[in-house]
Amino acid sequence: MNLIQDLEILDDLDAPKLTAEEAEGARKVYIETYGCQMNVSDSEIVAAILRAHGYGLTRDPEQADVVLLNTCAIRENAEQKVRHRLDIFRAHKRKQRPGLRIGVLGCMAERLRHKLLEEEQLVDLVVGPDAYRDLPRLLEEAETTGQAAVNVQLSREETYADIAPVRYDSNGVTAYVSIMRGCDNMCAFCVVPFTRGRERSRPVQSILDECARLVEEGYREVTVLGQNVNSYRYTENGTVVTFPELLYRVSLISPELRVRYSTSHPKDCSDELLHVHRERHNVCNYIHLPVQHGNTDVLRRMRRTYTREQYLALVERARRIVPGISLSTDIIAGFCGETEEEHRDTLSLLEEVRFDHAYMFMYSERPGTYAARKYKDDVPLEVKKRRLQEIIELQTRISLENNRKEIGRVHTVLVEGPSKRSPEQLCGRTDTNKMVVFDRQDFRPGDYVRVRITDCTSATLFGEPLGRTTLAESAHTEPVLV
């Protein structure tokens, strides 16, 4: 099986991201990235570290001397797909490339190092998310000794603040900027605190400098990242800088730079943050606000630290302070002990909030988590599947109804690149993070274009371009009914 063609099997939410560039070097490294935006950001750091040590980058695994899979351990499905890819690469090494080095990075590396190295012997090196600086030494060790090399030690200080990332899977218009690492929330279902360690925030100036460099390089949008960006806190000259203040400072770098962030925990989404959305025209009016479930008892079992009523009150405040704000969320179906009545509470919450988009999953038990230790994964698989399908069908309907309301409105769209379906069309996102497809004409990636919405699906808006604009000019004029 062709190593790239095999990726077609993985064409969904858990499909890997590949490096956007090729770079010369004595030895070629191929990197596949699975999971969240934080993992993509980590791969940008890995690429920068290896390039600084003379390694080249390749998009063709057939040409690689080193294959690295940057992994996610949040869901069992993602884990199984990574294992499938490891089997493919191991067979390729055995039959065609005996000198190939295979490594696993990130969350799955830390959690499954013993199985991957000793029991299954699938990899030559295992490197945790805080040990990427050690990669060149580990690769040399694996090469010279023929033995597996490992570093999965977590850190309370590492933020990679001094490393300029190699922009990964990049369109040259939008970029990710990591502002903090780790998580202290200890939600019952989540393995992240165990695989990524405790929270620590990057220095303020290093974040501002990176964003300013991106503007100089022509980028028009940054998404600042953290497992919970609301927890950002950095003491600067004796003063604590919190996330709303950081976001405000980033927005001042350029009036033509859109600013987004992910992910925001409901317990920490403050009115101060909402007022930054309202006051700064280039802080996008979109928040990913994971609720996880619609029932207070289930939220308590999940250790989410808020109730259904508190979440709904936050949504009401957000829409009052920031009119027109767009909300997306995460939903887990079939968590431990979930009853039909509790499931219906999730459906009713979706109806009440009417999210523009949702990431929806079945619960999968993660070893070592609070839920794995304290609860029984007792909802049958078929029930999980049925409940998830009900959630998906409801949210798809709501998303379509929300998008139909956009027809006739004019939005400012940041052009990201060609549409997947036709080179004669372009695509980009509105301020509220909705994808829009429209005719190419003479527009280019990085342009801001006024687009009248003419049609939609549940996932995409279609429109008629009206002409170029600037972000500053459009700040007080959209969305407009025409």
Side-chain angles (χ1 to χ4, degrees), residues 142-253:
E143 178 73 24
T144 56
T145 67
Q147 302 297 312
V150 184
N151 187 342
V152 294
Q153 185 172 355
L154 294 175
S155 168
R156 288 180 176 267
E157 291 81 32
E158 182 62 84
T159 63
Y160 301 107
D162 60 317
I163 293 175
V166 170
R167 291 300 155 189
Y168 197 77
D169 201 31
S170 175
N171 54 18
V173 176
T174 63
Y176 300 135
V177 176
S178 177
I179 65 170
M180 62 183 300
R181 301 181 70 82
C183 185
D184 290 347
N185 286 320
M186 302 300 290
C187 299
F189 53 81
C190 187
V191 74
V192 167
F194 306 103
T195 58
R196 285 189 171 269
R198 303 298 299 271
E199 290 176 355
R200 60 270 192 202
S201 298
R202 256 180 87 175
V204 175
Q205 196 57 51
S206 72
I207 297 167
L208 299 179
D209 289 346
E210 183 174 343
C211 292
R213 285 195 302 271
L214 289 167
V215 171
E216 291 173 0
E217 293 168 7
Y219 286 83
R220 291 297 193 103
E221 180 178 291
V222 296
T223 300
V224 296
L225 299 177
Q227 304 302 144
N228 175 22
V229 290
N230 309 89
S231 295
Y232 180 89
R233 292 175 67 85
Y234 188 81
T235 302
E236 178 185 68
N237 300 322
T239 301
V240 175
V241 176
T242 61
F243 181 62
E245 172 64 20
L246 175 69
L247 196 66
Y248 187 88
R249 293 192 194 183
V250 172
S251 76
L252 295 176
I253 291 172

Side-chain angles (χ1 to χ4, degrees), residues 314-326:
L314 171 59
V315 169
E316 188 280 327
R317 288 201 311 279
R319 288 176 168 161
R320 173 170 44 82
I321 295 172
V322 193
I325 196 162
S326 175

